[in-house]
Amino acid sequence: MSHPADSFRPDVIVVGAGLAGLVATHELALAGRRVLVLDQENRANLGGQAWWSLGGLFFVDSPEQRRMGITDSPELALQDWMGSAAFDRVGDGTAGPGRGEDHWPRQWAQAYVRFAHEEKRDYLRALGLRSLPFVGWAERGDGRADGHGNSVPRFHLTWGTGPEVVRVFAEPVLRAEEAGLVRFAFRHRVDELLVADGAVTGVRGTVLADDDAARGVRSNRDPVGDFAFEAAAVVVTSGGIGHNHELMRRSWPTERVGPAPAHMISGVPAHVDGRMQAISEEAGATMVNRDRMWAYVEGIHNWDPVWPDHAIRILPGPSSMWFDAHGRRLEGMSGVPGADSIGAMKQILATSHDYSWFVLTQSIIEKEFALSGSEQNPDLTEKDIRVLVRSRLAKGAPGPVEAFKQHGEDFVVAESLAELVEGMNAIARGPRLDLATLEAQITARDRELDNGFGKDVQLMAIANARRSRTDRLIRVARPHRILDPAHGPLIAVRLNILSRKTLGGLETNLDSQCLAHDGTPVPGLYAAGEVAGFGGGGVHGYNALEGTFLGGCIFSGRAAGRALARA
């Protein structure tokens, strides 16, 4: 059968039409290179997982930060990054066989923080991307100055969310397609990288039957033919393993964070399957840091799902009280929502159960609950100022949040704590909660509000958060007693483990070249985005600072495209 690329002779083949693939293709087209882009999904999925994102970007010492009274610096940002990454697989410090799995990730981290300070904002603004003036504070930290977390707010929300991030790269790539420099071959699944004399020379795979499924919806895998294409280089930008729960469990860091969850819901579509990792290894590439992954603990089942096991992450402010499956309050900064994701994961999984609970008030949900995903934030995604003002400043929770409160299977709403606990026990997957135990912990916390002092670490974190203009104005509720009826009704949310991002990946140097086991580049093979651990095989180390995933796709995709444009 004929293929869209039969008469096209590419200089470079890009495997994956997600954000990293689009960025690499954009840079190559700017340099006049011919690019063939292959993807197993249809054209409706252009941009991949980035389209579904909230569009958060990590900038350092930006004008937006300065206007909000935030003092940041590249030195502080690098301290935060290195404290969060906790790189400990350094080997002998060489670039050869004894280099250690964190040799290149450390170099990528230094380069990325420098990029986020010096170039990233201008690079994106030149393409037409703009950020909102309010700067958010994600992953607020584990309580150590040199440990995990952002010391200051750095989460810059894109005006237009994920679709806008995709648009600014997709539009020039589509213009290059019209000009004949770029050719797309959708429904083309790569099954093998072609290798000759140790160099990657092309791809071979299966043509899948046409499928007009909407973006994100699972498509068929019916074979209708095969293909083989050759080029001077192949760039793998196929994404992570987030919907391949079997592969996640095989690599799960049990000793470090606890047993893999029996019940896990998916924050990414079904096509995020991790297939290209093993295919790239067979061609000579090296996988590193397989056990590092970024699963969230604030996942909720989507009452209106797009893909199988579709989950949404709650982006919480710091005020909800957090309890494990037994009804015991999570301890330390890890028990402060939005502070330390992996620390919270350890406490939750230590109970031998794979869920936890938020207990909060109507006042808290109205100001502090946001939902991940472009589709859950239509006011921001559609760039509608009037809708934004109505939804964010009017009384009541934003519409999508209220819809989950009314329809979501993980939500319980009640006028009294006794009624709330009864509803929590009705949906618990483990032990029954004891009313007296829960009430004693909530009452103890509420007593700390009698004056401006106190020793409750969560209340101290709330007070610190409200020093941020963004948090005080639109993100963090005024402190109040959880059991105060004036702030009711009471709300409980069952929180599930949510798969999302892959932190390990194909090892690459700073030009995004895949490396063999001896540390030398695999000729003709490059990787960028999540399949490369967003650069180097694990630029985030063990933790992520948030607002960094899209930026990692952009930075590593740009590196691959520019390196090949020079070659």
Side-chain angles (χ1 to χ4, degrees), residues 2 12 33 61 93 99 144 147 162 294 304 332 337 383 415 533 538 542:
S2 62
V12 178
R33 303 293 189 266
D61 189 28
R99 61 195 180 278
R144 299 174 296 149
W294 197 244
D304 186 21
K383 298 191 284 188
E415 295 297 332
Y542 289 102

Side-chain angles (χ1 to χ4, degrees), residues 270-543:
H271 60 73
V272 185
D273 54 23
R275 292 181 69 257
M276 286 305 300
Q277 288 185 352
I279 292 169
S280 299
E281 284 187 282
E282 291 171 5
T286 304
M287 271 289 298
V288 294
N289 300 311
R290 295 178 191 270
D291 62 324
R292 295 178 183 171
M293 57 191 75
W294 197 244
Y296 289 114
V297 289
E298 310 100 336
I300 52 177
H301 298 81
N302 195 339
W303 65 273
D304 186 21
V306 176
W307 53 79
D309 301 317
H310 187 182
I312 298 295
R313 183 203 174 196
I314 295 172
L315 303 172
S319 300
S320 298
M321 294 190 71
W322 204 343
F323 299 92
D324 67 20
H326 295 280
R328 298 178 299 229
R329 191 177 179 192
L330 269 59
E331 298 177 349
M333 283 299 296
S334 300
V336 178
D340 179 12
S341 292
I342 297 297
M345 175 87 74
K346 292 178 182 179
Q347 291 195 52
I348 292 164
L349 295 180
T351 67
S352 299
H353 299 283
D354 52 20
Y355 68 98
S356 60
W357 300 97
F358 276 168
V359 173
L360 60 147
T361 65
Q362 180 67 23
S363 295
I364 292 173
I365 199 172
E366 288 182 3
K367 194 155 188 178
E368 296 198 6
F369 267 35
L371 301 173
S372 65
S374 55
E375 82 284 9
Q376 299 297 330
N377 296 272
D379 49 355
L380 300 174
T381 300
E382 296 168 14
K383 298 191 284 188
D384 191 319
I385 287 287
R386 288 175 298 180
V387 174
L388 175 66
V389 171
R390 284 199 306 269
S391 65
R392 306 286 165 157
L393 299 182
K395 185 172 176 54
V401 174
E402 184 64 28
F404 267 90
K405 178 184 156 190
Q406 293 182 14
H407 305 295
E409 66 182 80
D410 298 300
F411 284 72
V412 179
V413 182
E415 295 297 332
S416 70
L417 186 60
E419 183 186 352
L420 189 77
V421 171
E422 183 180 351
M424 294 165 73
N425 282 328
I427 63 172
R429 294 195 299 268
R432 287 184 60 82
L433 300 168
D434 178 67
L435 170 60
T437 300
L438 210 63
E439 185 172 29
Q441 295 173 91
I442 297 173
T443 300
R445 178 265 188 201
D446 282 358
R447 287 195 187 106
E448 294 282 299
L449 287 167
D450 285 343
N451 55 62
F453 305 100
K455 62 182 180 182
D456 186 280
V457 68
Q458 183 175 15
L459 292 178
M460 288 190 284
I462 293 168
N464 188 45
R466 286 178 60 83
R467 295 168 62 192
S468 159
R469 294 176 190 171
T470 298
D471 279 350
R472 188 172 63 253
L473 289 172
I474 63 174
R475 195 71 176 98
V476 180
R478 185 184 296 275
H480 59 272
R481 292 172 179 263
I482 298 294
L483 297 180
D484 183 351
H487 291 276
L490 291 168
I491 301 164
V493 187
R494 181 185 59 185
L495 305 173
N496 310 273
I497 307 298
L498 162 71
S499 70
R500 184 60 66 83
K501 300 296 181 183
T502 311
L503 298 189
L506 297 172
E507 187 180 29
T508 59
N509 62 20
L510 291 175
D511 283 335
S512 290
Q513 291 176 290
C514 289
L515 302 178
H517 287 289
D518 64 0
T520 61
V522 178
L525 184 59
Y526 293 69
E530 195 174 351
V531 73
F534 302 90
V539 66
H540 299 94
Y542 289 102
N543 293 281

Side-chain angles (χ1 to χ4, degrees), residues 8 25 32 62 70 90 158 171 173 188 232 247 251 261 279 312 314 392 406 465 488 492 503-504 521 535 542 546:
F8 188 68
T25 302
S62 69
I70 300 163
V90 294
T158 299
E171 287 186 353
V173 168
H188 280 56
L247 188 55
S251 302
I279 292 169
I312 298 295
I314 295 172
R392 306 286 165 157
Q406 293 182 14
L503 298 189
Y542 289 102
E546 300 294 4

